[in-house]
PDB file of all heavy atoms in Angstrom:
ATOM      1  N   ASP A 198     -14.071   1.772   3.287  1.00  0.00           N
ATOM      2  CA  ASP A 198     -13.390   2.756   2.422  1.00  0.00           C
ATOM      3  C   ASP A 198     -12.159   3.257   3.179  1.00  0.00           C
ATOM      4  O   ASP A 198     -12.198   4.300   3.850  1.00  0.00           O
ATOM      5  CB  ASP A 198     -14.352   3.891   2.098  1.00  0.00           C
ATOM      6  CG  ASP A 198     -13.766   4.839   1.038  1.00  0.00           C
ATOM      7  OD1 ASP A 198     -12.688   4.524   0.487  1.00  0.00           O
ATOM      8  OD2 ASP A 198     -14.390   5.879   0.774  1.00  0.00           O
ATOM      9  N   CYS A 199     -11.113   2.494   3.078  1.00  0.00           N
ATOM     10  CA  CYS A 199      -9.873   2.815   3.813  1.00  0.00           C
ATOM     11  C   CYS A 199      -8.703   2.283   3.025  1.00  0.00           C
ATOM     12  O   CYS A 199      -8.856   1.452   2.144  1.00  0.00           O
ATOM     13  CB  CYS A 199      -9.899   2.269   5.219  1.00  0.00           C
ATOM     14  SG  CYS A 199      -9.883   0.453   5.308  1.00  0.00           S
ATOM     15  N   ALA A 200      -7.514   2.753   3.388  1.00  0.00           N
ATOM     16  CA  ALA A 200      -6.269   2.188   2.825  1.00  0.00           C
ATOM     17  C   ALA A 200      -5.779   1.101   3.739  1.00  0.00           C
ATOM     18  O   ALA A 200      -5.591   1.353   4.944  1.00  0.00           O
ATOM     19  CB  ALA A 200      -5.217   3.259   2.651  1.00  0.00           C
ATOM     20  N   ARG A 201      -5.679  -0.118   3.261  1.00  0.00           N
ATOM     21  CA  ARG A 201      -5.336  -1.272   4.098  1.00  0.00           C
ATOM     22  C   ARG A 201      -3.857  -1.654   3.895  1.00  0.00           C
ATOM     23  O   ARG A 201      -3.355  -1.677   2.787  1.00  0.00           O
ATOM     24  CB  ARG A 201      -6.223  -2.447   3.749  1.00  0.00           C
ATOM     25  CG  ARG A 201      -7.688  -2.231   4.119  1.00  0.00           C
ATOM     26  CD  ARG A 201      -8.590  -3.280   3.494  1.00  0.00           C
ATOM     27  NE  ARG A 201      -8.704  -3.091   2.052  1.00  0.00           N
ATOM     28  CZ  ARG A 201      -9.584  -2.280   1.469  1.00  0.00           C
ATOM     29  NH1 ARG A 201     -10.401  -1.559   2.207  1.00  0.00           N
ATOM     30  NH2 ARG A 201      -9.654  -2.177   0.157  1.00  0.00           N
ATOM     31  N   LEU A 202      -3.222  -1.996   5.029  1.00  0.00           N
ATOM     32  CA  LEU A 202      -1.804  -2.380   4.979  1.00  0.00           C
ATOM     33  C   LEU A 202      -1.624  -3.600   5.870  1.00  0.00           C
ATOM     34  O   LEU A 202      -1.836  -3.542   7.079  1.00  0.00           O
ATOM     35  CB  LEU A 202      -0.931  -1.239   5.472  1.00  0.00           C
ATOM     36  CG  LEU A 202       0.578  -1.464   5.502  1.00  0.00           C
ATOM     37  CD1 LEU A 202       1.107  -1.679   4.092  1.00  0.00           C
ATOM     38  CD2 LEU A 202       1.284  -0.304   6.141  1.00  0.00           C
ATOM     39  N   GLU A 203      -1.248  -4.737   5.256  1.00  0.00           N
ATOM     40  CA  GLU A 203      -1.016  -5.947   6.041  1.00  0.00           C
ATOM     41  C   GLU A 203       0.359  -5.844   6.708  1.00  0.00           C
ATOM     42  O   GLU A 203       1.357  -5.565   6.058  1.00  0.00           O
ATOM     43  CB  GLU A 203      -1.103  -7.200   5.181  1.00  0.00           C
ATOM     44  CG  GLU A 203      -1.018  -8.486   5.936  1.00  0.00           C
ATOM     45  CD  GLU A 203      -1.206  -9.706   5.060  1.00  0.00           C
ATOM     46  OE1 GLU A 203      -1.166  -9.562   3.824  1.00  0.00           O
ATOM     47  OE2 GLU A 203      -1.443 -10.810   5.625  1.00  0.00           O
ATOM     48  N   ILE A 204       0.387  -6.088   7.998  1.00  0.00           N
ATOM     49  CA  ILE A 204       1.622  -5.926   8.779  1.00  0.00           C
ATOM     50  C   ILE A 204       1.918  -7.193   9.554  1.00  0.00           C
ATOM     51  O   ILE A 204       1.017  -7.862  10.092  1.00  0.00           O
ATOM     52  CB  ILE A 204       1.488  -4.736   9.774  1.00  0.00           C
ATOM     53  CG1 ILE A 204       1.258  -3.413   9.012  1.00  0.00           C
ATOM     54  CG2 ILE A 204       2.706  -4.632  10.671  1.00  0.00           C
ATOM     55  CD1 ILE A 204       0.962  -2.245   9.911  1.00  0.00           C
ATOM     56  N   ASP A 205       3.190  -7.576   9.578  1.00  0.00           N
ATOM     57  CA  ASP A 205       3.622  -8.754  10.317  1.00  0.00           C
ATOM     58  C   ASP A 205       4.584  -8.278  11.405  1.00  0.00           C
ATOM     59  O   ASP A 205       5.482  -7.486  11.161  1.00  0.00           O
ATOM     60  CB  ASP A 205       4.350  -9.719   9.369  1.00  0.00           C
ATOM     61  CG  ASP A 205       4.427 -11.130   9.922  1.00  0.00           C
ATOM     62  OD1 ASP A 205       4.557 -11.276  11.154  1.00  0.00           O
ATOM     63  OD2 ASP A 205       4.341 -12.080   9.131  1.00  0.00           O
ATOM     64  N   THR A 206       4.349  -8.725  12.632  1.00  0.00           N
ATOM     65  CA  THR A 206       5.242  -8.361  13.726  1.00  0.00           C
ATOM     66  C   THR A 206       6.544  -9.172  13.747  1.00  0.00           C
ATOM     67  O   THR A 206       7.435  -8.870  14.508  1.00  0.00           O
ATOM     68  CB  THR A 206       4.545  -8.508  15.078  1.00  0.00           C
ATOM     69  OG1 THR A 206       4.141  -9.864  15.249  1.00  0.00           O
ATOM     70  CG2 THR A 206       3.345  -7.587  15.171  1.00  0.00           C
ATOM     71  N   ARG A 207       6.631 -10.218  12.882  1.00  0.00           N
ATOM     72  CA  ARG A 207       7.861 -10.991  12.801  1.00  0.00           C
ATOM     73  C   ARG A 207       8.981 -10.114  12.230  1.00  0.00           C
ATOM     74  O   ARG A 207       8.754  -9.308  11.342  1.00  0.00           O
ATOM     75  CB  ARG A 207       7.692 -12.219  11.916  1.00  0.00           C
ATOM     76  CG  ARG A 207       6.789 -13.272  12.477  1.00  0.00           C
ATOM     77  CD  ARG A 207       6.713 -14.492  11.564  1.00  0.00           C
ATOM     78  NE  ARG A 207       6.234 -14.135  10.221  1.00  0.00           N
ATOM     79  CZ  ARG A 207       6.919 -14.300   9.084  1.00  0.00           C
ATOM     80  NH1 ARG A 207       8.122 -14.837   9.101  1.00  0.00           N
ATOM     81  NH2 ARG A 207       6.388 -13.969   7.937  1.00  0.00           N
ATOM     82  N   LEU A 208      10.179 -10.264  12.761  1.00  0.00           N
ATOM     83  CA  LEU A 208      11.354  -9.554  12.278  1.00  0.00           C
ATOM     84  C   LEU A 208      12.225 -10.509  11.505  1.00  0.00           C
ATOM     85  O   LEU A 208      12.387 -11.685  11.861  1.00  0.00           O
ATOM     86  CB  LEU A 208      12.142  -8.959  13.433  1.00  0.00           C
ATOM     87  CG  LEU A 208      11.396  -7.997  14.367  1.00  0.00           C
ATOM     88  CD1 LEU A 208      12.297  -7.495  15.476  1.00  0.00           C
ATOM     89  CD2 LEU A 208      10.811  -6.828  13.582  1.00  0.00           C
ATOM     90  N   ASP A 209      12.830 -10.016  10.429  1.00  0.00           N
ATOM     91  CA  ASP A 209      13.671 -10.899   9.601  1.00  0.00           C
ATOM     92  C   ASP A 209      14.681 -10.006   8.844  1.00  0.00           C
ATOM     93  O   ASP A 209      14.297  -9.087   8.129  1.00  0.00           O
ATOM     94  CB  ASP A 209      12.832 -11.650   8.582  1.00  0.00           C
ATOM     95  CG  ASP A 209      13.588 -12.850   7.957  1.00  0.00           C
ATOM     96  OD1 ASP A 209      14.786 -12.702   7.706  1.00  0.00           O
ATOM     97  OD2 ASP A 209      12.943 -13.890   7.740  1.00  0.00           O
ATOM     98  N   ILE A 210      15.956 -10.292   9.037  1.00  0.00           N
ATOM     99  CA  ILE A 210      16.989  -9.496   8.381  1.00  0.00           C
ATOM    100  C   ILE A 210      17.233  -9.941   6.938  1.00  0.00           C
ATOM    101  O   ILE A 210      17.925  -9.280   6.175  1.00  0.00           O
ATOM    102  CB  ILE A 210      18.329  -9.529   9.155  1.00  0.00           C
ATOM    103  CG1 ILE A 210      18.860 -10.952   9.204  1.00  0.00           C
ATOM    104  CG2 ILE A 210      18.139  -8.949  10.556  1.00  0.00           C
ATOM    105  CD1 ILE A 210      20.244 -11.059   9.796  1.00  0.00           C
ATOM    106  N   ARG A 211      16.612 -11.083   6.533  1.00  0.00           N
ATOM    107  CA  ARG A 211      16.840 -11.618   5.168  1.00  0.00           C
ATOM    108  C   ARG A 211      15.693 -11.312   4.211  1.00  0.00           C
ATOM    109  O   ARG A 211      15.882 -11.380   3.035  1.00  0.00           O
ATOM    110  CB  ARG A 211      17.101 -13.108   5.252  1.00  0.00           C
ATOM    111  CG  ARG A 211      18.323 -13.516   6.073  1.00  0.00           C
ATOM    112  CD  ARG A 211      18.208 -14.937   6.548  1.00  0.00           C
ATOM    113  NE  ARG A 211      17.058 -15.110   7.425  1.00  0.00           N
ATOM    114  CZ  ARG A 211      16.702 -16.285   7.991  1.00  0.00           C
ATOM    115  NH1 ARG A 211      17.438 -17.343   7.741  1.00  0.00           N
ATOM    116  NH2 ARG A 211      15.671 -16.348   8.779  1.00  0.00           N
ATOM    117  N   ASP A 212      14.528 -11.062   4.752  1.00  0.00           N
ATOM    118  CA  ASP A 212      13.323 -10.859   3.934  1.00  0.00           C
ATOM    119  C   ASP A 212      13.014  -9.376   3.876  1.00  0.00           C
ATOM    120  O   ASP A 212      12.610  -8.770   4.867  1.00  0.00           O
ATOM    121  CB  ASP A 212      12.149 -11.650   4.501  1.00  0.00           C
ATOM    122  CG  ASP A 212      10.963 -11.667   3.611  1.00  0.00           C
ATOM    123  OD1 ASP A 212      10.835 -10.817   2.687  1.00  0.00           O
ATOM    124  OD2 ASP A 212      10.059 -12.539   3.789  1.00  0.00           O
ATOM    125  N   TRP A 213      13.165  -8.752   2.693  1.00  0.00           N
ATOM    126  CA  TRP A 213      12.974  -7.311   2.566  1.00  0.00           C
ATOM    127  C   TRP A 213      11.541  -6.902   2.836  1.00  0.00           C
ATOM    128  O   TRP A 213      11.263  -5.739   3.159  1.00  0.00           O
ATOM    129  CB  TRP A 213      13.378  -6.846   1.172  1.00  0.00           C
ATOM    130  CG  TRP A 213      12.468  -7.374   0.073  1.00  0.00           C
ATOM    131  CD1 TRP A 213      12.642  -8.538  -0.653  1.00  0.00           C
ATOM    132  CD2 TRP A 213      11.265  -6.788  -0.382  1.00  0.00           C
ATOM    133  NE1 TRP A 213      11.618  -8.695  -1.542  1.00  0.00           N
ATOM    134  CE2 TRP A 213      10.755  -7.655  -1.396  1.00  0.00           C
ATOM    135  CE3 TRP A 213      10.566  -5.642  -0.058  1.00  0.00           C
ATOM    136  CZ2 TRP A 213       9.545  -7.363  -2.072  1.00  0.00           C
ATOM    137  CZ3 TRP A 213       9.372  -5.370  -0.741  1.00  0.00           C
ATOM    138  CH2 TRP A 213       8.885  -6.204  -1.737  1.00  0.00           C
ATOM    139  N   ARG A 214      10.603  -7.833   2.790  1.00  0.00           N
ATOM    140  CA  ARG A 214       9.196  -7.486   3.021  1.00  0.00           C
ATOM    141  C   ARG A 214       8.891  -7.328   4.475  1.00  0.00           C
ATOM    142  O   ARG A 214       7.832  -6.762   4.842  1.00  0.00           O
ATOM    143  CB  ARG A 214       8.300  -8.590   2.422  1.00  0.00           C
ATOM    144  CG  ARG A 214       8.356  -8.627   0.896  1.00  0.00           C
ATOM    145  CD  ARG A 214       7.755  -9.910   0.363  1.00  0.00           C
ATOM    146  NE  ARG A 214       8.518 -11.085   0.771  1.00  0.00           N
ATOM    147  CZ  ARG A 214       8.299 -12.311   0.345  1.00  0.00           C
ATOM    148  NH1 ARG A 214       7.292 -12.535  -0.468  1.00  0.00           N
ATOM    149  NH2 ARG A 214       9.043 -13.313   0.760  1.00  0.00           N
ATOM    150  N   LEU A 215       9.766  -7.810   5.363  1.00  0.00           N
ATOM    151  CA  LEU A 215       9.552  -7.715   6.806  1.00  0.00           C
ATOM    152  C   LEU A 215      10.486  -6.696   7.407  1.00  0.00           C
ATOM    153  O   LEU A 215      11.578  -6.443   6.895  1.00  0.00           O
ATOM    154  CB  LEU A 215       9.776  -9.064   7.459  1.00  0.00           C
ATOM    155  CG  LEU A 215       8.822 -10.193   7.029  1.00  0.00           C
ATOM    156  CD1 LEU A 215       9.280 -11.490   7.669  1.00  0.00           C
ATOM    157  CD2 LEU A 215       7.400  -9.850   7.377  1.00  0.00           C
ATOM    158  N   CYS A 216      10.053  -6.104   8.519  1.00  0.00           N
ATOM    159  CA  CYS A 216      10.939  -5.211   9.257  1.00  0.00           C
ATOM    160  C   CYS A 216      12.071  -6.015   9.884  1.00  0.00           C
ATOM    161  O   CYS A 216      11.892  -7.172  10.256  1.00  0.00           O
ATOM    162  CB  CYS A 216      10.181  -4.448  10.324  1.00  0.00           C
ATOM    163  SG  CYS A 216       8.965  -3.279   9.660  1.00  0.00           S
ATOM    164  N   ALA A 217      13.232  -5.380  10.023  1.00  0.00           N
ATOM    165  CA  ALA A 217      14.377  -6.035  10.643  1.00  0.00           C
ATOM    166  C   ALA A 217      14.553  -5.649  12.089  1.00  0.00           C
ATOM    167  O   ALA A 217      15.262  -6.348  12.829  1.00  0.00           O
ATOM    168  CB  ALA A 217      15.646  -5.722   9.860  1.00  0.00           C
ATOM    169  N   THR A 218      13.939  -4.537  12.529  1.00  0.00           N
ATOM    170  CA  THR A 218      14.090  -4.089  13.891  1.00  0.00           C
ATOM    171  C   THR A 218      12.730  -3.586  14.417  1.00  0.00           C
ATOM    172  O   THR A 218      11.884  -3.189  13.644  1.00  0.00           O
ATOM    173  CB  THR A 218      15.107  -2.943  13.993  1.00  0.00           C
ATOM    174  OG1 THR A 218      14.554  -1.778  13.303  1.00  0.00           O
ATOM    175  CG2 THR A 218      16.454  -3.309  13.385  1.00  0.00           C
ATOM    176  N   PRO A 219      12.557  -3.558  15.736  1.00  0.00           N
ATOM    177  CA  PRO A 219      11.336  -2.985  16.290  1.00  0.00           C
ATOM    178  C   PRO A 219      11.169  -1.517  15.901  1.00  0.00           C
ATOM    179  O   PRO A 219      10.038  -1.038  15.738  1.00  0.00           O
ATOM    180  CB  PRO A 219      11.537  -3.137  17.799  1.00  0.00           C
ATOM    181  CG  PRO A 219      12.435  -4.300  17.938  1.00  0.00           C
ATOM    182  CD  PRO A 219      13.379  -4.201  16.783  1.00  0.00           C
ATOM    183  N   ALA A 220      12.265  -0.782  15.764  1.00  0.00           N
ATOM    184  CA  ALA A 220      12.182   0.632  15.417  1.00  0.00           C
ATOM    185  C   ALA A 220      11.564   0.824  14.003  1.00  0.00           C
ATOM    186  O   ALA A 220      10.784   1.744  13.760  1.00  0.00           O
ATOM    187  CB  ALA A 220      13.549   1.295  15.440  1.00  0.00           C
ATOM    188  N   GLN A 221      11.922  -0.101  13.094  1.00  0.00           N
ATOM    189  CA  GLN A 221      11.314  -0.025  11.742  1.00  0.00           C
ATOM    190  C   GLN A 221       9.799  -0.283  11.802  1.00  0.00           C
ATOM    191  O   GLN A 221       9.033   0.404  11.113  1.00  0.00           O
ATOM    192  CB  GLN A 221      12.010  -1.027  10.841  1.00  0.00           C
ATOM    193  CG  GLN A 221      13.448  -0.715  10.542  1.00  0.00           C
ATOM    194  CD  GLN A 221      14.162  -1.815   9.771  1.00  0.00           C
ATOM    195  OE1 GLN A 221      13.518  -2.766   9.301  1.00  0.00           O
ATOM    196  NE2 GLN A 221      15.490  -1.719   9.670  1.00  0.00           N
ATOM    197  N   LEU A 222       9.420  -1.269  12.566  1.00  0.00           N
ATOM    198  CA  LEU A 222       7.989  -1.572  12.711  1.00  0.00           C
ATOM    199  C   LEU A 222       7.254  -0.421  13.361  1.00  0.00           C
ATOM    200  O   LEU A 222       6.162  -0.050  12.924  1.00  0.00           O
ATOM    201  CB  LEU A 222       7.809  -2.858  13.519  1.00  0.00           C
ATOM    202  CG  LEU A 222       6.355  -3.292  13.747  1.00  0.00           C
ATOM    203  CD1 LEU A 222       5.670  -3.560  12.428  1.00  0.00           C
ATOM    204  CD2 LEU A 222       6.312  -4.522  14.626  1.00  0.00           C
ATOM    205  N   GLU A 223       7.843   0.175  14.379  1.00  0.00           N
ATOM    206  CA  GLU A 223       7.188   1.304  15.033  1.00  0.00           C
ATOM    207  C   GLU A 223       7.059   2.491  14.102  1.00  0.00           C
ATOM    208  O   GLU A 223       6.042   3.248  14.168  1.00  0.00           O
ATOM    209  CB  GLU A 223       7.974   1.709  16.303  1.00  0.00           C
ATOM    210  CG  GLU A 223       7.258   2.724  17.156  1.00  0.00           C
ATOM    211  CD  GLU A 223       7.859   2.834  18.538  1.00  0.00           C
ATOM    212  OE1 GLU A 223       7.597   1.948  19.388  1.00  0.00           O
ATOM    213  OE2 GLU A 223       8.625   3.795  18.770  1.00  0.00           O
ATOM    214  N   ALA A 224       8.036   2.667  13.197  1.00  0.00           N
ATOM    215  CA  ALA A 224       7.946   3.740  12.231  1.00  0.00           C
ATOM    216  C   ALA A 224       6.708   3.579  11.334  1.00  0.00           C
ATOM    217  O   ALA A 224       6.095   4.564  10.923  1.00  0.00           O
ATOM    218  CB  ALA A 224       9.211   3.807  11.404  1.00  0.00           C
ATOM    219  N   VAL A 225       6.390   2.333  11.005  1.00  0.00           N
ATOM    220  CA  VAL A 225       5.186   2.074  10.214  1.00  0.00           C
ATOM    221  C   VAL A 225       3.931   2.331  11.029  1.00  0.00           C
ATOM    222  O   VAL A 225       2.980   3.015  10.590  1.00  0.00           O
ATOM    223  CB  VAL A 225       5.191   0.612   9.720  1.00  0.00           C
ATOM    224  CG1 VAL A 225       3.892   0.284   8.979  1.00  0.00           C
ATOM    225  CG2 VAL A 225       6.373   0.375   8.781  1.00  0.00           C
ATOM    226  N   LEU A 226       3.895   1.813  12.259  1.00  0.00           N
ATOM    227  CA  LEU A 226       2.692   1.910  13.088  1.00  0.00           C
ATOM    228  C   LEU A 226       2.329   3.349  13.390  1.00  0.00           C
ATOM    229  O   LEU A 226       1.150   3.708  13.408  1.00  0.00           O
ATOM    230  CB  LEU A 226       2.895   1.117  14.390  1.00  0.00           C
ATOM    231  CG  LEU A 226       2.995  -0.410  14.229  1.00  0.00           C
ATOM    232  CD1 LEU A 226       3.407  -1.038  15.594  1.00  0.00           C
ATOM    233  CD2 LEU A 226       1.700  -0.980  13.725  1.00  0.00           C
ATOM    234  N   THR A 227       3.323   4.193  13.633  1.00  0.00           N
ATOM    235  CA  THR A 227       3.013   5.588  14.002  1.00  0.00           C
ATOM    236  C   THR A 227       2.355   6.365  12.866  1.00  0.00           C
ATOM    237  O   THR A 227       1.769   7.424  13.117  1.00  0.00           O
ATOM    238  CB  THR A 227       4.297   6.312  14.425  1.00  0.00           C
ATOM    239  OG1 THR A 227       5.278   6.257  13.355  1.00  0.00           O
ATOM    240  CG2 THR A 227       4.884   5.732  15.698  1.00  0.00           C
TER     241      THR A 227
END
Side-chain angles (χ1 to χ4, degrees):
D198 189 7
C199 65
R201 294 168 289 274
L202 181 64
E203 187 174 14
I204 298 174
D205 199 326
T206 59
R207 291 182 302 121
L208 303 179
D209 195 323
I210 62 172
R211 298 158 298 180
D212 190 341
W213 66 268
R214 292 165 295 186
L215 297 175
C216 292
T218 67
Q221 293 173 9
L222 180 60
E223 189 165 282
V225 174
L226 293 172
T227 56

